[in-house]
mmCIF file of all heavy atoms in Angstrom:
data_model
loop_
_atom_site.group_PDB
_atom_site.id
_atom_site.type_symbol
_atom_site.label_atom_id
_atom_site.label_comp_id
_atom_site.label_asym_id
_atom_site.label_seq_id
_atom_site.Cartn_x
_atom_site.Cartn_y
_atom_site.Cartn_z
ATOM 1 N N LEU A 6 30.224 -46.667 -94.247
ATOM 2 C CA LEU A 6 29.326 -45.532 -94.414
ATOM 3 C C LEU A 6 28.366 -45.945 -95.511
ATOM 4 O O LEU A 6 28.731 -45.993 -96.678
ATOM 5 C CB LEU A 6 30.100 -44.275 -94.817
ATOM 6 C CG LEU A 6 29.240 -43.029 -95.060
ATOM 7 C CD1 LEU A 6 28.456 -42.695 -93.812
ATOM 8 C CD2 LEU A 6 30.114 -41.858 -95.474
ATOM 9 N N PRO A 17 8.169 -55.715 -92.992
ATOM 10 C CA PRO A 17 7.250 -56.405 -92.093
ATOM 11 C C PRO A 17 6.921 -55.530 -90.898
ATOM 12 O O PRO A 17 7.695 -54.651 -90.534
ATOM 13 C CB PRO A 17 8.049 -57.643 -91.664
ATOM 14 C CG PRO A 17 9.478 -57.231 -91.795
ATOM 15 C CD PRO A 17 9.508 -56.321 -92.989
ATOM 16 N N PRO A 20 7.587 -55.795 -84.327
ATOM 17 C CA PRO A 20 6.996 -56.510 -83.205
ATOM 18 C C PRO A 20 6.867 -55.633 -81.972
ATOM 19 O O PRO A 20 7.702 -54.788 -81.707
ATOM 20 C CB PRO A 20 8.004 -57.649 -82.951
ATOM 21 C CG PRO A 20 9.299 -57.129 -83.475
ATOM 22 C CD PRO A 20 8.937 -56.281 -84.660
ATOM 23 N N ASP A 28 5.873 -41.603 -69.404
ATOM 24 C CA ASP A 28 4.980 -40.496 -69.739
ATOM 25 C C ASP A 28 5.772 -39.281 -70.196
ATOM 26 O O ASP A 28 5.373 -38.570 -71.128
ATOM 27 C CB ASP A 28 4.126 -40.129 -68.515
ATOM 28 C CG ASP A 28 3.092 -41.197 -68.186
ATOM 29 O OD1 ASP A 28 2.803 -42.021 -69.089
ATOM 30 O OD2 ASP A 28 2.602 -41.220 -67.045
ATOM 31 N N PHE A 78 17.437 -43.994 -75.123
ATOM 32 C CA PHE A 78 16.837 -45.162 -75.759
ATOM 33 C C PHE A 78 17.420 -46.410 -75.127
ATOM 34 O O PHE A 78 18.634 -46.604 -75.128
ATOM 35 C CB PHE A 78 17.126 -45.159 -77.266
ATOM 36 C CG PHE A 78 16.488 -46.297 -78.019
ATOM 37 C CD1 PHE A 78 15.276 -46.128 -78.659
ATOM 38 C CD2 PHE A 78 17.113 -47.534 -78.098
ATOM 39 C CE1 PHE A 78 14.684 -47.174 -79.355
ATOM 40 C CE2 PHE A 78 16.534 -48.589 -78.784
ATOM 41 C CZ PHE A 78 15.315 -48.406 -79.422
ATOM 42 N N THR A 91 6.970 -38.373 -86.069
ATOM 43 C CA THR A 91 6.304 -37.136 -85.682
ATOM 44 C C THR A 91 6.211 -36.150 -86.847
ATOM 45 O O THR A 91 7.017 -36.177 -87.776
ATOM 46 C CB THR A 91 7.063 -36.462 -84.518
ATOM 47 O OG1 THR A 91 8.384 -36.148 -84.950
ATOM 48 C CG2 THR A 91 7.132 -37.386 -83.321
ATOM 49 N N PHE A 102 24.114 -46.671 -81.087
ATOM 50 C CA PHE A 102 23.306 -47.866 -81.340
ATOM 51 C C PHE A 102 22.629 -47.725 -82.699
ATOM 52 O O PHE A 102 22.417 -46.620 -83.198
ATOM 53 C CB PHE A 102 22.252 -48.065 -80.250
ATOM 54 C CG PHE A 102 21.050 -47.169 -80.381
ATOM 55 C CD1 PHE A 102 19.846 -47.670 -80.854
ATOM 56 C CD2 PHE A 102 21.112 -45.814 -80.043
ATOM 57 C CE1 PHE A 102 18.734 -46.846 -80.988
ATOM 58 C CE2 PHE A 102 20.010 -44.994 -80.165
ATOM 59 C CZ PHE A 102 18.813 -45.505 -80.641
ATOM 60 N N PRO A 105 17.477 -52.701 -82.847
ATOM 61 C CA PRO A 105 17.304 -54.088 -83.301
ATOM 62 C C PRO A 105 17.306 -54.149 -84.827
ATOM 63 O O PRO A 105 17.116 -53.140 -85.507
ATOM 64 C CB PRO A 105 15.926 -54.472 -82.734
ATOM 65 C CG PRO A 105 15.678 -53.491 -81.626
ATOM 66 C CD PRO A 105 16.350 -52.224 -82.042
ATOM 67 N N LYS A 106 17.514 -55.332 -85.357
ATOM 68 C CA LYS A 106 17.564 -55.498 -86.804
ATOM 69 C C LYS A 106 16.278 -54.991 -87.445
ATOM 70 O O LYS A 106 15.175 -55.381 -87.072
ATOM 71 C CB LYS A 106 17.789 -56.969 -87.162
ATOM 72 C CG LYS A 106 18.094 -57.184 -88.634
ATOM 73 C CD LYS A 106 18.513 -58.615 -88.907
ATOM 74 C CE LYS A 106 18.907 -58.796 -90.363
ATOM 75 N NZ LYS A 106 19.366 -60.186 -90.643
ATOM 76 N N GLY A 107 16.425 -54.087 -88.417
ATOM 77 C CA GLY A 107 15.270 -53.528 -89.108
ATOM 78 C C GLY A 107 14.739 -52.235 -88.525
ATOM 79 O O GLY A 107 13.932 -51.551 -89.158
ATOM 80 N N THR A 144 21.871 -43.547 -93.141
ATOM 81 C CA THR A 144 23.335 -43.573 -93.113
ATOM 82 C C THR A 144 23.816 -44.259 -91.841
ATOM 83 O O THR A 144 23.405 -43.887 -90.745
ATOM 84 C CB THR A 144 23.920 -42.147 -93.153
ATOM 85 O OG1 THR A 144 23.450 -41.487 -94.314
ATOM 86 C CG2 THR A 144 25.445 -42.195 -93.172
ATOM 87 N N GLU A 159 33.696 -36.056 -83.395
ATOM 88 C CA GLU A 159 34.344 -35.606 -84.624
ATOM 89 C C GLU A 159 33.312 -35.194 -85.680
ATOM 90 O O GLU A 159 33.515 -34.223 -86.419
ATOM 91 C CB GLU A 159 35.247 -36.718 -85.162
ATOM 92 C CG GLU A 159 36.442 -37.002 -84.253
ATOM 93 C CD GLU A 159 37.258 -38.191 -84.724
ATOM 94 O OE1 GLU A 159 36.827 -38.878 -85.687
ATOM 95 O OE2 GLU A 159 38.332 -38.450 -84.133
ATOM 96 N N GLY A 245 37.684 -44.052 -58.333
ATOM 97 C CA GLY A 245 37.748 -45.485 -58.616
ATOM 98 C C GLY A 245 38.782 -46.185 -57.768
ATOM 99 O O GLY A 245 38.538 -47.280 -57.238
ATOM 100 N N THR A 251 38.847 -49.653 -50.772
ATOM 101 C CA THR A 251 37.843 -50.004 -49.761
ATOM 102 C C THR A 251 37.399 -51.451 -49.916
ATOM 103 O O THR A 251 37.256 -52.184 -48.925
ATOM 104 C CB THR A 251 36.624 -49.082 -49.883
ATOM 105 O OG1 THR A 251 37.033 -47.724 -49.673
ATOM 106 C CG2 THR A 251 35.562 -49.442 -48.864
ATOM 107 N N LYS A 258 39.523 -58.569 -44.546
ATOM 108 C CA LYS A 258 38.969 -58.865 -43.225
ATOM 109 C C LYS A 258 38.239 -60.200 -43.200
ATOM 110 O O LYS A 258 38.204 -60.877 -42.175
ATOM 111 C CB LYS A 258 38.027 -57.741 -42.800
ATOM 112 C CG LYS A 258 38.723 -56.414 -42.550
ATOM 113 C CD LYS A 258 37.719 -55.328 -42.171
ATOM 114 C CE LYS A 258 38.440 -53.993 -41.947
ATOM 115 N NZ LYS A 258 37.464 -52.905 -41.624
ATOM 116 N N LEU A 295 41.362 -65.346 -52.591
ATOM 117 C CA LEU A 295 41.344 -66.730 -52.138
ATOM 118 C C LEU A 295 42.071 -67.638 -53.121
ATOM 119 O O LEU A 295 42.739 -68.602 -52.729
ATOM 120 C CB LEU A 295 39.895 -67.203 -51.983
ATOM 121 C CG LEU A 295 39.238 -67.051 -50.611
ATOM 122 C CD1 LEU A 295 37.831 -67.611 -50.654
ATOM 123 C CD2 LEU A 295 40.047 -67.736 -49.534
ATOM 124 N N ALA A 301 48.899 -70.937 -52.868
ATOM 125 C CA ALA A 301 50.067 -70.854 -51.979
ATOM 126 C C ALA A 301 50.073 -71.970 -50.941
ATOM 127 O O ALA A 301 51.133 -72.358 -50.442
ATOM 128 C CB ALA A 301 50.095 -69.492 -51.291
ATOM 129 N N VAL A 310 33.534 -68.659 -53.048
ATOM 130 C CA VAL A 310 32.821 -67.701 -52.204
ATOM 131 C C VAL A 310 31.357 -68.124 -52.155
ATOM 132 O O VAL A 310 30.699 -68.225 -53.193
ATOM 133 C CB VAL A 310 32.947 -66.268 -52.752
ATOM 134 C CG1 VAL A 310 32.287 -65.280 -51.798
ATOM 135 C CG2 VAL A 310 34.408 -65.913 -52.979
ATOM 136 N N ASN A 317 18.478 -69.545 -51.616
ATOM 137 C CA ASN A 317 19.320 -70.547 -52.255
ATOM 138 C C ASN A 317 20.775 -70.312 -51.891
ATOM 139 O O ASN A 317 21.194 -69.171 -51.705
ATOM 140 C CB ASN A 317 19.175 -70.501 -53.779
ATOM 141 C CG ASN A 317 17.807 -70.923 -54.246
ATOM 142 O OD1 ASN A 317 17.293 -71.959 -53.823
ATOM 143 N ND2 ASN A 317 17.197 -70.126 -55.113
ATOM 144 N N SER A 346 35.802 -67.066 -63.919
ATOM 145 C CA SER A 346 34.693 -66.614 -63.073
ATOM 146 C C SER A 346 33.431 -67.401 -63.406
ATOM 147 O O SER A 346 32.926 -67.322 -64.525
ATOM 148 C CB SER A 346 34.460 -65.111 -63.288
ATOM 149 O OG SER A 346 33.321 -64.672 -62.595
ATOM 150 N N SER A 348 29.697 -69.542 -61.476
ATOM 151 C CA SER A 348 28.863 -69.682 -60.283
ATOM 152 C C SER A 348 27.751 -70.693 -60.525
ATOM 153 O O SER A 348 27.426 -71.024 -61.667
ATOM 154 C CB SER A 348 28.268 -68.327 -59.887
ATOM 155 O OG SER A 348 27.400 -67.857 -60.899
#
Side-chain angles (χ1 to χ4, degrees):
L6 178 59
D28 290 341
F78 183 96
T91 61
F102 78 104
K106 190 171 184 178
T144 303
E159 293 175 353
T251 299
K258 293 178 181 178
L295 268 182
V310 184
N317 293 311
S346 174
S348 64

